[in-house]
Every structure is written in C-alpha cells, then in structure tokens.
Amino acid sequence: LHGLGRGQLDVAQEHGLVCRTLPGDAVALCPPLIITPDQINEMFDMFEKALAFRIARMFGEPIEQIFHDEPR
C-alpha cells in the first residue's frame, strides 16, 4: 500500500478536509484551533469516508458499496 498517504490526502481534500502528508504514508489532519466535539466527530467521519473511497478506488471495488456520498 505504498503511496497511500499521498493518495489519501488527495481524496480527503476532495471531501472537504484540510490535511497534509507526513513522511512515509501518514496524513496529518489540520483542524481549526477552536473546534467543538461535534466538529471533531464530523472531521473523523469525513476522513473515514474518504479512506473507504480511496481503498475502493485502489482495489477496483464498486465505490457505491463502500461510500454512498459524493465528494463535496
């Protein structure tokens, strides 16, 4: 799964997240300095959906089975 970090960054940004890559295959989320618990949950929900979208794309699975929302 080499290169997952960069690809995940692109997909996460397509879904409205502000993030950046780190060395290796890591992605850092960049939330605002003032954030509510509900916004934190929303951020991780968005990241989870973007990750499912990316994995489906990598393995050629039908995205509709994993990810039911359209990118923002």
Side-chain angles (χ1 to χ4, degrees), residues 3-17 19 21 27 50 54 57:
L4 181 64
R6 178 66 205 171
Q8 181 60 23
L9 173 73
D10 294 339
V11 173
Q13 289 177 341
E14 288 173 14
H15 289 87
L17 289 172
C19 49
T21 57
V27 174
R54 172 72 173 146
R57 191 183 285 173

Side-chain angles (χ1 to χ4, degrees), residues 7-68:
Q8 181 60 23
L9 173 73
D10 294 339
V11 173
Q13 289 177 341
E14 288 173 14
H15 289 87
L17 289 172
V18 178
C19 49
R20 61 187 174 90
T21 57
L22 296 174
D25 285 333
V27 174
L29 300 176
C30 303
L33 294 176
I34 299 173
I35 189 168
T36 67
D38 287 340
Q39 290 170 321
I40 292 170
N41 290 334
E42 180 181 2
M43 179 181 66
F44 281 105
D45 288 345
M46 292 168 67
F47 188 80
E48 180 181 19
K49 289 178 181 181
L51 183 59
F53 188 89
R54 172 72 173 146
I55 290 170
R57 191 183 285 173
M58 286 177 65
F59 293 104
E61 295 180 21
I63 294 170
E64 297 80 26
Q65 291 180 357
I66 295 176
F67 186 68
H68 300 288

